[in-house]
Amino acid sequence: MDSQGINGTGLRAENVTNLLVLGFLQIHSDSNFQQELEKLCLELPGQGHWQADGDDELQTDGSRISRCFYFEGRIEPDSERQEELIQNIARCLAHVGDEMECHIQPRLVSRLVEQFQNRSLSEEDRRDCLAKALEEVMQTFPRDMEIEKTKLIITMLLAKRVAGHTPSLLRDTFHTTVNFINQNLFAYVRNLVRN
């Protein structure tokens, strides 16, 4: 990924996937992993703090949270607009994901949780486990949507389900998910943001 913004200005490409996955998880967050999500936001490099924006507010149940990605003192001209765009994309993908989530079997999530809890696995091994889980879900999924979009949503749904099952895995699951998307689906993400 280049270090320039998606369109030459604004957000750096490496932050786009962070924003997208975090936005997706914020929309789907529940009390199980809300606290871990807040900690994660504060840990991400160059990130500010949780801040409500417009109609979004931090709810006690964590159901709606605004963006937390502010580049302290370094907001480039288009980055704030691009952050909003990425949040809107995350919101749309999350709503589509609501209808898709029933295709993810609890036994698959339990197996993925067990694999992610294995501290001897490398990051590459965790990405492989995620890829296998994704392919398993894809086998049972109707083919009425573009494959890349389906894979992106299912990947983020798997992250959500793992975090919901075992909140202490949120941080590692987030990073594995972001790395997996960057390696396998970033061209699709970049096109979503550009279009």
Side-chain angles (χ1 to χ4, degrees):
M1 288 181 291
D2 59 47
S3 62
Q4 294 298 317
I6 288 293
N7 292 317
T9 60
L11 291 175
R12 293 175 168 256
E14 61 263 19
N15 291 321
V16 171
T17 309
N18 282 350
L19 280 168
L20 184 67
V21 175
L22 189 63
F24 187 92
L25 292 173
Q26 288 173 341
I27 291 162
H28 274 303
S29 70
D30 57 29
S31 59
N32 286 350
F33 64 90
Q34 180 60 43
Q35 187 175 14
E36 295 298 319
L37 193 60
E38 290 176 21
K39 287 181 199 173
L40 174 66
C41 183
L42 295 173
E43 289 175 11
L44 293 171
Q47 307 313 319
H49 55 279
W50 291 88
Q51 178 173 339
D53 179 39
D55 297 331
D56 292 332
E57 295 179 13
L58 178 62
Q59 302 292 317
T60 56
D61 67 354
S63 61
R64 292 178 64 198
I65 301 171
S66 183
R67 61 192 152 141
C68 65
F69 285 84
Y70 283 89
F71 300 90
E72 298 169 5
R74 301 178 322 167
I75 296 179
E76 297 178 34
D78 289 339
S79 65
E80 193 169 322
R81 185 175 58 81
Q82 286 181 350
E83 286 178 26
E84 288 179 31
L85 173 66
I86 293 165
Q87 291 234 328
N88 286 335
I89 291 168
R91 190 173 295 116
C92 291
L93 293 174
H95 291 305
V96 173
D98 289 341
E99 298 171 17
M100 298 169 64
E101 193 165 5
C102 65
H103 292 278
I104 299 175
Q105 298 300 316
R107 65 172 175 70
L108 184 138
V109 174
S110 295
R111 187 172 67 232
L112 196 56
V113 165
E114 188 177 307
Q115 291 167 333
F116 279 19
Q117 287 176 323
N118 181 350
R119 293 293 170 197
S120 67
L121 289 182
S122 68
E123 173 63 21
E124 184 178 344
D125 292 335
R126 283 197 306 268
R127 282 194 310 269
D128 288 343
C129 292
L130 182 59
K132 288 176 185 168
L134 172 63
E135 287 308 313
E136 189 173 327
V137 175
M138 290 292 291
Q139 297 301 317
T140 63
F141 203 80
R143 302 280 180 181
D144 59 348
M145 190 182 342
E146 12 177 1
I147 290 175
E148 291 87 359
K149 183 176 184 178
T150 303
K151 285 183 175 184
L152 178 62
I153 293 170
I154 291 173
T155 300
M156 293 189 292
L157 282 172
L158 286 168
K160 175 216 170 205
R161 294 284 296 271
V162 167
H165 185 283
T166 309
S168 62
L169 291 176
L170 174 67
R171 185 178 176 277
D172 289 341
T173 302
F174 174 84
H175 291 295
T176 298
T177 302
V178 166
N179 290 335
F180 179 84
I181 291 169
N182 284 342
Q183 286 186 352
N184 299 286
L185 298 165
F186 190 74
Y188 180 74
V189 170
R190 184 177 54 229
N191 289 337
L192 278 177
V193 174
R194 284 182 175 166
N195 296 325

